[in-house]
Amino acid sequence: MEIFGIGTSEIIFIVIIALIVLGPKDMQKAGKTIGKWLRNIVTSDGWKMFQQTSRELKTLPNRLMRDANEELSQVGNELKDVTNIIGSKPYTYITPPRPQPSSTPVIIPTPENKIAETKANESDSKIDA
């Protein structure tokens, strides 16, 4: 049995030292005073709040694991629903629109095309003059 981390042998040692120091009559008064003090502490709202917080901290890991497991199972169920929906519908392939060929040819500028174009512009300017 342990109280506040103090074993039975330590409690007996403390009682013997108190009996030697205080004596039998003062020991009764000290016991009554300590008893009243402990009863006031145990019945106080602060002690009740301390006990409740202690219980909550002890159960916190289990509660967090339970909540995480519930969320995980919910996500798993949603994934199953989505895969069932996808699996039940036939696949439809969407093809992108093909570009329409233009009626005018596209001339890519190359050095030979530029030379021919400048010659044509020079001959046009000679004819106009």
Side-chain angles (χ1 to χ4, degrees), residues 9-23 27:
S9 60
E10 288 95 0
I11 291 175
I12 292 172
F13 182 71
I14 291 170
V15 169
I16 291 172
I17 297 295
L19 186 60
I20 292 171
V21 171
L22 297 174
M27 184 76 166

Side-chain angles (χ1 to χ4, degrees), residues 51-63:
Q51 291 292 327
Q52 181 182 3
T53 305
S54 175
R55 267 185 255 116
E56 287 178 5
L57 288 176
K58 286 179 184 177
T59 60
L60 181 66
N62 291 337
R63 189 174 32 147

